[in-house]
Amino acid sequence: MAIDDPSGKHGGQDAHEAAPPAGLTHERVGMFTDAVFAIAMTLLAIELPRPEGEAAEPHGDRLAMAAELWQYLSQHSGTFLAFFIAFMMLWTAWRQHHRLFDRITYLSRGMMLLHLPMLIFVALLPYPTALIGDNSANPLSVTLFAGSEAVLLLCQAALITSALRGPIKAGTDIRRLRVLAVSLWAVGGFWLLTAALTWVMENVPLLWLLTPAVAVAAVRVGRRLVPEPAGTA
């Protein structure tokens, strides 16, 4: 069945009926991507600090030991905050990637190429997360962390933008995908901005807590920018 209206809830071609080009089947790439995300999210937890030496040995009063451990955890609160932010960003990125792959029939060559930088920075993310956990005041560690998150978000935005020009399944809500792409471009730009701001101001990591609000605002702007499909009420 030919699809005539690419702006509606359909794909722009009957690619769903054609066999995927060799090496561009999305199932294999999807499974590999899932594995990379899972390993990266696990490594985030492995990098979390834990007491060593005398601090890890049981001694003295039980309440005193609990207070000592609490003090240790408090001293590394930045590391746990960085872990939480990085984990949630990876989780959200994985869910969006999964949803996109449920809406395509195969990968375009552009989408395949975009997976290279995206997966590099997914696998790399535990490293800047550990760096910023050790020293959140260092502008370079903040830049590396924020820059890695920005590249991940921008690659996702580019993936969706590329998918909209090609292998979309019939029945897909094209407008919703376009709005999502707009929001990802905006949130990725926000993270790039924080990477630059850390060189001129302090406590930039606190701005990352605004990411959900930025995403909601970007979705609202996207809905205004992307017109309703022709023929809808």
Side-chain angles (χ1 to χ4, degrees), residues 188-229:
F190 167 74
W191 276 81
L192 274 182
L193 178 62
T194 64
L197 287 177
T198 191
W199 296 95
V200 296
M201 61 182 290
E202 298 179 355
N203 299 320
V204 165
L206 295 177
L207 295 177
W208 299 335
L209 299 177
L210 298 175
T211 299
V214 173
V216 170
V219 167
R220 291 179 178 176
V221 172
R223 287 172 178 166
R224 294 180 181 179
L225 294 177
V226 179
E228 291 280 356

Side-chain angles (χ1 to χ4, degrees), residues 13-33:
Q13 54 180 304
D14 30 348
H16 59 287
E17 297 179 351
L24 295 176
T25 52
H26 66 296
E27 291 89 353
R28 294 291 297 274
V29 176
M31 289 187 292
F32 179 76
T33 302

Side-chain angles (χ1 to χ4, degrees), residues 103-124:
R103 297 183 175 106
I104 62 176
T105 55
Y106 66 92
L107 291 173
S108 66
R109 298 189 186 280
M111 293 175 69
M112 179 66 82
L113 289 174
L114 283 167
H115 275 79
L116 182 59
M118 185 186 78
L119 293 180
I120 285 175
F121 280 89
V122 168
L124 184 67

Side-chain angles (χ1 to χ4, degrees), residues 26-119:
H26 66 296
E27 291 89 353
R28 294 291 297 274
V29 176
M31 289 187 292
F32 179 76
T33 302
D34 288 348
V36 174
F37 270 98
I39 292 171
M41 294 166 80
T42 302
L43 289 176
L44 287 175
I46 292 176
E47 293 291 339
L48 290 174
R50 55 191 57 81
E52 297 180 0
E54 294 184 1
E57 296 294 333
H59 60 277
D61 181 75
R62 294 174 67 251
L63 291 179
M65 288 190 296
E68 185 177 352
L69 178 59
W70 177 256
Q71 182 180 7
Y72 176 86
L73 296 176
S74 300
Q75 291 173 347
H76 294 84
S77 58
T79 302
F80 291 97
L81 177 60
F83 163 81
F84 176 78
I85 293 174
F87 188 94
M88 291 306 299
M89 294 292 285
L90 285 177
W91 167 262
T92 303
W94 173 75
R95 287 295 297 149
Q96 289 172 346
H97 186 272
H98 193 184
R99 288 167 182 161
L100 175 63
F101 269 47
D102 284 343
R103 297 183 175 106
I104 62 176
T105 55
Y106 66 92
L107 291 173
S108 66
R109 298 189 186 280
M111 293 175 69
M112 179 66 82
L113 289 174
L114 283 167
H115 275 79
L116 182 59
M118 185 186 78
L119 293 180

Side-chain angles (χ1 to χ4, degrees), residues 1 3 5-6 8-17 99-108 111 159-175 177-178:
M1 178 180 68
I3 307 300
D5 182 14
K9 294 187 178 183
H10 302 284
Q13 54 180 304
D14 30 348
H16 59 287
E17 297 179 351
R99 288 167 182 161
L100 175 63
F101 269 47
D102 284 343
R103 297 183 175 106
I104 62 176
T105 55
Y106 66 92
L107 291 173
S108 66
M111 293 175 69
L159 271 175
I160 296 175
T161 303
S162 181
L164 286 167
R165 296 194 289 264
I168 294 291
K169 290 180 179 178
T172 297
D173 190 338
I174 297 296
R175 181 174 183 265
L177 279 182
R178 287 175 176 164

Side-chain angles (χ1 to χ4, degrees), residues 174-189:
I174 297 296
R175 181 174 183 265
R176 183 174 182 179
L177 279 182
R178 287 175 176 164
V179 170
L180 178 58
V182 169
S183 66
L184 286 171
W185 285 116
V187 177

